[in-house]
Amino acid sequence: MPAAMFAALFFTVALLVTTAYFIMGSIPLLVLKHDTPLDARFVRGFFNLYYVGAFITATATAISFALAGRFGIAAGAAALAAMAIVLRKKVIPKMDALGEQIKSNYMDAIPGFRKTHITAILINLVQLVAIVWTLIAVSRQSQ
């Protein structure tokens, strides 16, 4: 097995771990009432860290698979990297704005923040399912 394929497998596991860690870490954060600026800042920071980590691991996965000659999987991983950028540019500013509204005691911001939090979790759950499904499908083709 070429070194590029070992790297691809390593970064695929890193991508799975990053995504699964985020999901397992963000669901318990739903216990927070999201009614204080500290709650909003913490959740926002957690999501921001995830999006940066997801971008890095998905990019490394895409490059590794491209070097291994697996261009279909590389394109999928590149799409995940692009999605991390898009989600970071959409979700983080929305959380920042809602966090400022929470700081100003605008109570309608709390359900909006919670909805944004849940939506981001669901999007990433779909991504995790897509990653696992792709790996299963590719492994069946290789047999």
Side-chain angles (χ1 to χ4, degrees):
M1 184 180 291
M5 198 58 176
F6 280 118
L9 292 174
F10 172 81
F11 287 117
T12 300
V13 170
L15 179 59
L16 285 168
V17 168
T18 301
T19 306
Y21 171 79
F22 165 76
I23 292 168
M24 290 186 297
S26 61
I27 291 173
L29 292 177
L30 289 170
V31 171
L32 297 174
K33 293 182 182 178
H34 298 81
D35 60 345
T36 67
L38 182 61
D39 289 354
R41 258 194 332 267
F42 184 80
V43 172
R44 179 242 187 248
F46 189 79
F47 276 78
N48 188 52
L49 181 63
Y50 165 71
Y51 291 133
V52 170
F55 172 74
I56 292 168
T57 55
T59 300
T61 302
I63 292 168
S64 299
F65 273 110
L67 292 173
R70 300 291 200 109
F71 300 110
I73 299 175
L80 289 174
M83 188 174 237
I85 291 171
V86 169
L87 288 171
R88 186 169 183 249
K89 288 185 184 230
K90 297 280 186 187
V91 173
I92 299 303
K94 187 170 185 177
M95 285 185 168
D96 286 340
L98 290 167
E100 286 300 315
Q101 290 176 1
I102 291 169
K103 191 186 295 184
S104 301
N105 290 325
Y106 182 68
M107 290 299 120
D108 288 340
I110 294 169
F113 195 94
R114 182 174 288 284
K115 182 180 175 189
T116 302
H117 184 166
I118 291 169
T119 301
I121 291 170
L122 292 174
I123 289 169
N124 288 289
L125 188 59
V126 169
Q127 287 179 329
L128 181 62
V129 169
I131 294 167
V132 172
W133 178 82
T134 301
L135 292 173
I136 291 169
V138 168
S139 70
R140 286 184 180 160
Q141 288 176 350
S142 299
Q143 293 177 353

